[in-house]
Amino acid sequence: MSIASFDPQQQAVLVTPSAVAHFKRQLDKSQNKAVRLSVKQSGCTGWMYVVDLVDEPKANDLHMPLADGVELLVDSESLSVVGGTEIDYVTEGVNRQLKFNNPRVKDYCGCGESFSVS
């Protein structure tokens, strides 16, 4: 029998190449150093994603280096909600937006602002 280990820094969040390119453009425009992902309680369903451009990580952030020198910081206290999420940057008609494909989401509120996890 073997014991499997979980490395949260390698498996916390997946980021598509289009999302990395979007983050790179935003960081270049703002002169910030990293993108930080967290969640906050919001809306009628429970949680809302928070994406910030930051200069410094917080003490409990997981550091995830991405392509093109982009660094993603993930709030470790949010990991139970965002773990396994894929972040994509998509074009739908004339709209472009970040899309979070989170396998833990079980329900979204009607307006799409918040979600709950199982």
Side-chain angles (χ1 to χ4, degrees):
M1 174 184 270
S2 65
I3 298 174
S5 63
F6 175 70
D7 182 351
Q9 291 196 27
Q10 290 186 358
Q11 300 174 11
V13 176
L14 303 170
V15 184
T16 66
S18 61
V20 171
H22 171 70
F23 290 150
K24 174 78 170 147
R25 287 189 300 274
Q26 298 305 307
L27 289 169
D28 288 347
K29 282 195 273 186
S30 71
Q31 300 300 313
N32 290 99
K33 296 180 180 159
V35 176
R36 185 169 190 273
L37 174 65
S38 61
V39 294
K40 69 178 183 177
Q41 289 190 316
S42 179
C44 56
T45 314
W47 298 103
M48 177 177 147
Y49 297 105
V50 178
V51 178
D52 294 307
L53 302 178
V54 299
D55 282 327
E56 306 244 344
K58 293 189 177 182
N60 65 343
D61 286 347
L62 300 174
H63 297 252
M64 296 181 58
L66 305 174
D68 296 326
V70 174
E71 182 170 24
L72 178 66
L73 305 170
V74 179
D75 173 36
S76 63
E77 293 178 13
S78 300
L79 193 56
S80 64
V81 176
V82 302
T85 298
E86 177 192 68
I87 303 173
D88 196 6
Y89 186 68
V90 298
T91 301
E92 296 172 344
V94 296
N95 299 315
R96 289 177 281 200
Q97 66 181 357
L98 286 174
K99 187 152 273 199
F100 298 88
N101 300 311
N102 186 338
R104 297 175 189 211
V105 170
K106 68 175 185 176
D107 195 20
Y108 291 96
C109 71
C111 68
E113 178 184 310
S114 64
F115 60 94
S116 63
V117 294
S118 51

